[in-house]
Amino acid sequence: MTTADDSRILEFDVRTEEMLINMGPQHPSTHGVLRVVLRTDGEIVFRAEPQIGYLHRCAEKIGENLSPRQWVPYTDRLDYLAGMNMNLGWALAVEKLLGLEVSEKVGHIRVLVAELGRIASHLVAMGTYGLDLGSFTPFLYAFREREKILNLFEDVCGARLTYSYMLPGGVMADLPPGWLEKCEQFLTELEPVIADYHALLTSNQIFIKRTAAIGVLSAEDAIGYGCSGPVLRGSGVDFDLRRDGELYCTRMYQGYTYQVIVRKDGHYPKDHDYPPVPPEAVIGDCWHRFYVRMLEVVQSIDLVRQGIERYRQAPGDCGVPVKMTQRLPKGEIYLETEAPKGQMGFHLISDGSAIPWRVRIRSSSFCNLSIVPILCQNCLIADVPAVIGSLDVVLGEIDR
Amino acid sequence: MAEFFVDRLSLSAPVGYTLAALIQCVLIVALIGVAALLFIWMERKISGRIQDRWGPNRVGGKFGWFQTLADGMKLLTKEDLAPKDAQVILFRLAPYVSFAASFSAYLALPFADGWVIAPMTMGLFFILAVLGLEVFGVILGGYASGSKWSLFGAIRQAAQVVSYEVPLAMCAVVPVFLCGTMDLVAIGEKQAGLFTNWLVFHDPFTFVIFWVYFTCTVASVNRSPFDLPEAESELVAGFLTEYSGLRWSFFFMAEYSSMLLVSGLAAILFFGGWNGPLPIFHCIGWAYQQSETTWRLTGYLANLAGCVNFLAKAVLGVTVMMWVRWTLPRLRIDQVITVCLKYCVPLAAICFVGALMWQTLAWPSPNDLVPVTPAGKAGVREQWVLQQAKNAGRENLVGVSGPATDMPVTDIVVRPLEQEGGEG
Amino acid sequence: MWQTIMTQHQDWFRRLTERFGRGITGSSLEAVDPWIELAPDVLVEVCRFLRDDAEMRFNVLNLVSGVDYLQIDPKKAAKTDWEPHIEVVYHLSSIKKRHSLTLKVVLPRWKDDQEGQLPEVPSVVAIWPTANWHEREVYDLMGIRFVGHPGLHRILLPEDWDGYPLRKDYEMPSEYHGIRA
């Protein structure tokens, strides 16, 4: 093409061309094997299109060939950073189909362990977000504390990553003796450390500059795109399945006192002395999503404390997990639970045999990731990791 | 040293000079190479400490002294890869450019009173100019890699370094004006005596300008929070993405030696160089007197202590850079440029004017508390032969351009010998 | 409490049948998760109605799943009480009202019973943007064409993958681009 009749020449000294860049699947900051195709002009990203599927392991197809009890280990590998919560979602879904009701004690064990899992998941989210923004140290601080949680989990079920601890109908085993004391000690150790995280990230000026007013997600978009968990609450939507979910999901939290972490009437629930919201931050931006997670850690600590007390007084046993050959009643159910990353749902259809007809997984990260093209319009390349990190996606759950 | 060979050992001038240059070359490469290894080890230990972990603790004893050496050996055995789309010659050349630029700058850096490879009246200018060349290696490497990430890294580096050269030079020029010379030895000499004589305490403006200088140097050697050209969470590894093995480690060595260099420069410009906080060696009479031109052991020892002093300050600066790196998140490219153009440049300009005003109006300054007459003859002692040469009227033969004057150090023709050293 | 939910669903069902008549083809309000079955051609209007109606306000589409009802075991197939078909199941919920509903659309396994012709259902992307990826996934794994989808291509599997793995009669290819699968 001749340039003489190109009208753009009059406007620009230098003609620029769009450049297509593959961020991932091998990229340090895409949290796994995510590939984002960026259309850029220099440092400016016009469009970011996530391409997924690199970690597809046919979990749903496998679910059609295994009984619910057998499929539990596969749930571990969905959101592998919060295996306990994935177990919980599946266990509750199967219980809903079977119409089972577990003892109070099992409920408290589940709260305890699920909230610890939430803390672990949020710690990783916090640490890796630091990494995404170029700050290494919080990552190791986060992993140091997570390691202690994994030790606790190891005491409970023998595994550190893929627990398969919560089974439909109960839990694998009761908490070992002395575990509650260890857990309490961990909580007292964790609490003061959180101030360090806030000092290194939340209230750090560079961190605020990198995250405040970046990737602003409006409440309408968040709802429309099915975002959930901290992403939804970071946009100011007051919704938490632990409080607002179905009975099967909320039953075990009955009697616990906690507030949903969301910015309401201009402030977050005030039961802490953590850094104030900086003036630059806009509701729904990366900073708020991060902050919600940080506050949820504090909240989960509180829930675990309550759980310990209530477990000590709870009657009942630790449940009888369903048998591998247990026949499922004919029918279909759908149940969502509040996993650390958002609402984790299982759609379970049974034709009356021991093996489900169909298992469908609703993954929170899948929906949360789908807003990346919206959030990453006309941002800088450096904002892309900042946005994706603030969504806290795990590819195991997205690709299933 | 060359004079020593020529005069004392009666070697012919070319042989003597070549020999001297080679020895200095080996010395500097060895010193800086070892320093770079040490810094990499130190960085790991420091980051380990900061991050509540051990850092290297196996190779070479309890403290993992040889970890870097072992890694170096590993890197040596790696395949020397060039990507398919790379401009192979430029790609292979780039690490050397960076490395050579970073090492050549040491030519003009005095380690103690008069201990400098090539004494130059324009020492500071030389260092800043040569240090600026390091960016060429990075741009070349990034451009020639044939990778988009590398290209991004290179362009970022270009934008960043070019912007930060401006405030950096403005900061560095303040001590020059205060001392009236670009000769780093003379600038160091001027700050002899008590620590109150250090230029950083000259007036509030110099105190501020030191921090501006520090920020700019962190940016110009690509350290976090300004490590955008590498930015591993955005650009994979930036300009380093396609490099492996030894070439990669050359970039690394260049980075660490630049860190030492700018910290050393900060020590000379603002923190009295090789002068300790208390003039002990002056008090016990070991240090050279002003008019002295002959070599003596005590003077040598005093100088050695000065050298240790200087290195300690420089290493302290490097440590602070590491501390910063492991604490702060990274800035975004627009914020990096904003910091430079909106904060560093105006601040440097104001402080520049302020410091000069302070000096011109002779306002009270801590530097006046315990005044020391600048020795002024600093460079001469280690080049005592110059005096003899002058006496013998052989100035032109030993490479002195023009007749020797009262100026402490005369212009010496700079011989570009260090480049070969880079490849060794 | 359950009683009120029950009546609530009956009320919705009544309103829907009044409004859309024949389009509402069935329901099971006694099920654990009550569902309403729709004809594909009214799906979009029903969904828009469900989202915008002041009483229902189903502003979240939780999940779109495709279910293949095909019994491949001939012994069991003789005993099944349904014809082979495919269902698309939409799980809706409301953040404001805190209630949920399941919609189902029944489709033939192949359009016009010609194998290889994907069954078609209108896309609801215009109503809930989240349907975009969910529908792509259902298309990818179950082989249902969502008419009106802005970019219906495979999401988890490679673009050139053959077949739809979650169909009951799917057979795993022995190799993919020369790689043994």
Side-chain angles (χ1 to χ4, degrees), chain B residues 285-339:
Chain B
W286 281 20
Y288 284 119
Q289 294 304 310
Q290 203 183 333
S291 51
E292 250 178 299
T293 51
T294 46
W295 188 90
R296 61 186 161 82
L297 182 65
T298 47
Y300 186 81
L301 287 178
N303 247 0
L304 199 64
C307 183
V308 170
N309 219 326
F310 168 77
L311 285 177
K313 286 173 192 173
V315 170
L316 188 70
V318 174
T319 314
V320 173
M321 283 189 189
M322 291 176 182
W323 179 19
V324 167
R325 171 172 179 188
W326 296 107
T327 308
L328 295 180
R330 181 185 306 116
L331 287 164
R332 213 169 50 200
I333 182 74
D334 59 326
Q335 290 161 351
V336 167
I337 305 294
T338 309
V339 167

Side-chain angles (χ1 to χ4, degrees), chain C residues 115-170:
Chain C
E115 193 152 331
Q117 294 288 311
L118 298 187
E120 287 178 352
V121 66
S123 165
V124 293
V125 174
I127 298 159
W128 298 287
T130 183
N132 188 328
W133 278 28
H134 283 299
E135 287 179 353
R136 272 176 69 188
E137 191 185 333
V138 173
Y139 161 75
D140 187 0
L141 300 177
M142 193 56 84
I144 296 166
R145 189 171 301 287
F146 290 87
V147 179
H149 189 284
L152 194 66
H153 44 93
R154 289 187 184 268
I155 185 165
L156 292 178
L157 302 181
E159 219 33 73
D160 55 353
W161 192 263
D162 239 5
Y164 304 95
L166 280 182
R167 291 212 171 195
K168 293 281 178 186
D169 54 356
Y170 174 75

